[in-house]
Amino acid sequence: MKITVVCGNGLGTSLMMEMSIKTILKDLGIEANVDHVDLGSAKGTKSDIFVGTADIAEQLVAQDVNGKIVSLSNMIDKTAMKERISAALIELGAL
């Protein structure tokens, strides 16, 4: 399982979300490779799940990335993040 967190520049926002997602996965007992990239690199990245804020998720859809896209309306709301990540993992049969 690979999860890629995407933001505009691949630096601050995606790194903060990556750390939160790693904690969530640990709580769920799921092993996954979690990494972060900038929006321009996302299209060429192979991943099961792509995570980004709502505006980034729209651009990921437009780029037709090959993976499940999880859209977050608030990148610091860990409860909503856990719900959306869990739903994606269930959909992919990993949870």
Side-chain angles (χ1 to χ4, degrees):
M1 172 70 51
K2 181 172 179 186
I3 299 174
T4 302
V5 186
V6 184
C7 74
N9 294 319
L11 299 171
T13 303
S14 58
L15 179 59
M16 288 185 348
M17 289 190 293
E18 176 185 343
M19 292 186 301
S20 296
I21 290 169
K22 285 180 176 179
T23 301
I24 290 166
L25 293 173
K26 185 176 180 181
D27 290 346
L28 295 172
I30 299 292
E31 288 189 32
N33 178 14
V34 183
D35 200 5
H36 63 279
V37 299
D38 64 282
L39 184 59
S41 300
K43 177 67 175 170
T45 302
K46 292 184 180 184
S47 190
D48 299 295
I49 300 172
F50 289 90
V51 181
T53 56
D55 58 325
I56 295 293
E58 288 176 10
Q59 293 178 57
L60 291 171
V61 170
Q63 287 185 17
D64 196 29
V65 295
N66 190 17
K68 172 75 179 155
I69 298 171
V70 174
S71 176
L72 303 174
S73 56
N74 182 343
M75 67 175 214
I76 59 173
D77 183 350
K78 291 183 183 175
T79 301
M81 185 182 291
K82 185 174 183 177
E83 289 172 1
R84 293 197 176 131
I85 297 287
S86 295
L89 292 168
I90 289 169
E91 186 177 321
L92 295 173
L95 183 65

